[in-house]
Amino acid sequence: MSGEVSATGASPRAPRPGTQKSSSTVTKKGDRGAKEKPATVLPPVGEEEPKNPEEYQCTGALETDFAELCTRSGYTDFPKVVLRPRPHPTSLPSASLSEKPTLDDQRLSGSCSLNSLESKYVFFRPTIQVEQEPEDKSVKEIYIRGWKVEDRILGIFSKCLPPLSQLQAINLWKVGLTDKTLATLIALLPLCSPTLRKVSLEGNPLPEQSYHKLMAQDSRIAHLSLRNNNIDDHGAQLLGQALSTLHNCNRTLISLNLGFNHIGDEGAGYIADGLRLNRSLLWLSLAHNRIQDKGALKLAEVLRPFELTHTEVVERRRLLLEKGTQERLRSPSSSRHGDSKTDREKNQLAGASSVALVDKTDKMQTVKTPKSLGKKKEKSGEVVKKEEKSGSGQSPTQGTPKKEDSTKAGKGKVTIPEQKPIKGKGPKTGSKEKRSILLESELVAETTEMVNPLLEPVEHRDGKVFMPGNKVLLHLNLLRNRITEVGLEGFLIVVQYQAQFSKSKSMSKGPVGLLWLSLAKNCFSMQCPMYTMIQELMLPRDPISKAKLREEEAMAFST
């Protein structure tokens, strides 16, 4: 029995020894038939096929990788990877239809002519359209339109998309997504390049409306388009909660397109609630929805000073107490560090930190700062001069950064990369590590002060607490809704307030409010006095109109 097992194990064609004795010497046709029979019975051996896609190492060439992975997964007919056609600027839209078959004719079959029937339908065949970088031809955007993307295809994408180091955008238009395949897609996105910041899922209505999962805390998506997805008030509630709640806030999303959906007044209220404490969203479109005056007034309310709710007031007090305890704990810790050192080391610590601050503010040469700190001559001689110039005294790590919180918060973050070379140097890491810890703790306090809107300066009126309102949102599109003059009046008050605020704060840096507001095609006359006033107030704020005025002035000056 052992001999039989070894004989069968030695050859993959175990069934053949009995047939070879009778037919292998008689005719070649029998041998050919014996070879073909195992090919049809070989599916058990085909267990190796699912392993093949994993064994294949993607090269980063999407066309090659996708075709190879589809073939290894058992696909006989799969979409081709083609360049996205770009119509000529002066041509009609139909020119894009005539341009596309020429590209596919070159790739798919040379026998297809423009006049043949097949070439007219080749435009509608499933393809993966890509846009490439002009320099190295690397894929930067992917467009898939009009064919169902299943789990198997997403599994192939999970292998061939991560090697695309320059991928910036994925656009899926009417690809039959489900809540399950959306979850698979969301799990795929973190595997892709960090340059992937834009996702467009248009024409993919989902029963559970789970689009808010794309806006999770760990999401890197900056631009999200969810047009034409039948999103109703429930979906808007989930999206509004993803923008911000009392304890969580999305800090990566810059633009959100919710046009051509079914969002009404209630849904607009949920979006407005999400804008109360969100300070990252710059661009929002709610065009072609069902928003009436009630929803419009809720949106307008958060763009000007609004009253904090009881729970928001309680949370604000908690944050203020937490901030105060952090500051109290930070100050004795620095004094304990000072007590454990000699006076000479105190002066070195103060001088070293002042050198770092001078280099950051004047030279911005962070790499050279640790090198200068390692030299005793500069510590003893030049540091005193720089300390006198900076005027920061004995404890610049506590004094100077706090004075520069509002104007130089961005520059303060430069100290974080400095910690690596500081810790890498062996002999004198003690004082430097403590200095970096102090600066890092102050940076954490600064970022929480800047990011959390509940810690913004508030106004007390009649026992109520009012926040300044959301002035980070720059673009709001409410085209083609159901807003009347009642809702229009709310936006007039917003525009008047923000215009007045930007004049009073013209010298200081920071958010200034709406630069572009679209309220056209609603339920009021375009000649309405309030609408005319809004247009007049927004015109000098619009950066596009400003650029046109500058061009006209330049042309007039040159002539």
Side-chain angles (χ1 to χ4, degrees):
M1 291 295 290
S2 62
E4 292 178 2
V5 173
S6 63
T8 55
S11 172
R13 297 171 181 171
R16 242 199 289 173
T19 58
Q20 277 183 342
K21 291 181 181 178
S22 59
S23 60
S24 60
T25 56
V26 177
T27 175
K28 294 182 179 178
K29 291 183 180 178
D31 191 22
R32 193 176 299 166
K35 289 181 181 177
E36 291 174 358
K37 284 179 183 177
T40 57
V41 186
L42 268 184
V45 184
E47 291 177 359
E48 296 178 2
E49 290 183 4
K51 298 179 182 178
N52 286 338
E54 296 178 5
E55 294 171 0
Y56 177 72
Q57 298 295 325
C58 293
T59 61
L62 182 60
E63 184 177 1
T64 307
D65 294 341
F66 183 75
E68 182 65 26
L69 289 170
C70 284
T71 304
R72 291 177 178 234
S73 297
Y75 281 102
T76 55
D77 186 18
F78 48 84
K80 307 299 182 195
V81 179
V82 299
L83 288 175
R84 188 173 187 233
R86 287 203 166 275
H88 298 290
T90 56
S91 62
L92 296 173
S94 60
S96 61
L97 301 178
S98 62
E99 186 179 353
K100 186 70 170 65
T102 57
L103 294 169
D104 281 339
D105 287 343
Q106 296 172 3
R107 289 177 175 272
L108 299 177
S109 62
S111 61
C112 295
S113 62
L114 289 173
N115 297 325
S116 67
L117 186 63
E118 184 179 355
S119 65
K120 293 180 181 178
Y121 286 96
V122 75
F123 174 75
F124 298 102
R125 292 189 61 180
T127 57
I128 299 175
Q129 300 179 1
V130 297
E131 284 192 9
Q132 297 179 341
E133 293 284 358
E135 295 83 9
D136 55 359
K137 302 299 180 184
S138 59
V139 175
K140 65 176 183 178
E141 292 198 38
I142 293 176
Y143 296 83
I144 298 175
R145 54 185 296 275
W147 55 276
K148 187 172 178 62
V149 175
E150 300 174 345
D151 275 329
R152 289 178 68 190
I153 292 291
L154 286 174
I156 293 172
F157 281 153
S158 67
K159 297 180 178 65
C160 60
L161 293 189
L164 303 178
S165 60
Q166 302 299 319
L167 184 62
Q168 301 173 14
I170 294 178
N171 301 272
L172 304 179
W173 182 75
K174 289 191 177 181
V175 298
L177 281 182
T178 63
D179 290 285
K180 182 182 176 183
T181 52
L182 178 62
T184 307
L185 176 66
I186 292 172
L188 162 63
L189 295 178
L191 305 177
C192 297
S193 170
T195 56
L196 177 60
R197 304 296 303 279
K198 178 183 176 183
V199 174
S200 176
L201 304 178
E202 300 182 1
N204 293 283
L206 302 179
E208 297 180 11
Q209 302 191 51
S210 51
Y211 308 101
H212 63 284
K213 295 178 181 178
L214 290 158
M215 299 160 55
Q217 291 292 314
D218 56 348
S219 172
R220 296 196 306 253
I221 299 175
H223 307 280
L224 180 61
S225 180
L226 299 172
R227 293 196 310 167
N228 199 21
N229 283 332
N230 297 341
I231 298 175
D232 57 15
D233 291 340
H234 172 65
Q237 180 181 11
L238 298 174
L239 292 169
Q241 292 171 353
L243 283 174
S244 77
T245 60
L246 193 61
H247 301 287
N248 296 313
C249 181
N250 182 286
R251 299 180 182 179
T252 56
L253 195 66
I254 296 173
S255 68
L256 177 62
N257 194 337
L258 297 175
F260 293 88
N261 281 292
H262 302 158
I263 300 174
D265 282 344
E266 191 178 350
Y270 291 128
I271 299 294
D273 290 340
L275 293 175
R276 289 173 73 90
L277 302 179
N278 181 286
R279 295 297 181 267
S280 64
L281 193 69
L282 307 179
W283 193 99
L284 174 64
S285 176
L286 289 164
H288 292 263
N289 275 280
R290 302 170 180 178
I291 301 172
Q292 301 182 29
D293 291 331
K294 185 179 177 182
L297 290 173
K298 286 184 178 180
L299 287 167
E301 180 187 354
V302 298
L303 302 179
R304 63 177 191 265
F306 60 85
E307 181 187 350
L308 290 180
T309 62
H310 175 70
T311 53
E312 288 171 341
V313 171
V314 172
E315 178 66 12
R316 181 174 183 274
R317 289 174 180 172
R318 188 190 69 80
L319 291 172
L320 288 171
L321 286 172
E322 187 178 302
K323 176 187 169 187
T325 53
Q326 285 179 357
E327 290 177 352
R328 283 195 298 272
L329 288 172
R330 200 181 307 131
S331 53
S333 66
S334 61
S335 64
R336 280 199 301 271
H337 286 305
D339 292 336
S340 64
K341 298 292 179 181
T342 63
D343 293 336
R344 183 178 60 83
E345 288 174 337
K346 277 185 185 179
N347 293 331
Q348 287 181 358
L349 177 61
S353 57
S354 65
V355 169
L357 290 171
V358 169
D359 283 346
K360 275 180 279 180
T361 52
D362 297 339
K363 299 179 181 179
M364 293 301 291
Q365 295 178 352
T366 58
V367 179
K368 293 183 180 179
T369 304
K371 294 181 181 178
S372 63
L373 290 173
K375 297 180 181 179
K376 293 183 180 179
K377 293 181 181 179
E378 290 185 9
K379 283 185 178 179
S380 60
E382 296 177 5
V383 165
V384 179
K385 295 180 182 179
K386 292 185 179 180
E387 188 175 342
E388 290 174 358
K389 290 181 182 178
S390 62
S392 56
Q394 291 289 328
S395 58
T397 53
Q398 297 176 4
T400 309
K402 291 182 181 177
K403 292 177 183 177
E404 298 176 352
D405 278 352
S406 58
T407 57
K408 297 184 180 178
K411 294 181 181 178
K413 294 179 183 178
V414 181
T415 55
I416 295 174
E418 287 181 12
Q419 294 174 12
K420 292 183 180 178
I422 287 171
K423 292 181 181 178
K425 293 191 176 184
K428 295 188 178 181
T429 55
S431 62
K432 294 176 187 177
E433 283 181 358
K434 288 172 184 174
R435 179 176 62 85
S436 64
I437 291 169
L438 286 173
L439 289 174
E440 186 178 3
S441 64
E442 289 172 0
L443 283 172
V444 171
E446 288 174 15
T447 52
T448 52
E449 287 176 7
M450 291 179 64
V451 169
N452 199 321
L454 288 174
L455 292 174
E456 293 176 357
V458 296
E459 184 181 350
H460 296 270
R461 280 186 254 157
D462 300 328
K464 299 177 181 178
V465 183
F466 285 83
M467 277 186 60
N470 187 329
K471 297 189 194 66
V472 174
L473 189 69
L474 304 179
H475 176 115
L476 179 60
N477 189 351
L478 289 168
L479 181 78
R480 286 193 183 277
N481 278 274
R482 302 171 183 177
I483 303 170
T484 69
E485 294 184 8
V486 176
L488 194 63
E489 185 178 1
F491 281 105
L492 177 59
I493 297 171
V494 166
V495 174
Q496 288 174 337
Y497 163 73
Q498 291 190 352
Q500 196 66 29
F501 175 83
S502 61
K503 285 181 182 178
S504 61
K505 301 288 183 181
S506 58
M507 298 303 293
S508 65
K509 297 179 181 179
V512 294
L514 291 174
L515 301 181
W516 195 86
L517 174 64
S518 177
L519 292 165
K521 309 295 182 182
N522 274 278
C523 300
F524 54 81
S525 171
M526 300 296 286
Q527 286 76 34
C528 172
M530 283 189 290
Y531 182 72
T532 306
M533 288 180 66
I534 290 175
Q535 294 295 99
E536 292 174 354
L537 288 169
M538 291 301 298
L539 187 63
R541 297 170 64 85
D542 188 356
I544 298 176
S545 63
K546 282 183 182 178
K548 289 180 180 178
L549 287 172
R550 287 188 193 127
E551 288 179 4
E552 291 173 359
E553 289 174 359
M555 290 290 292
F557 182 76
S558 61
T559 54

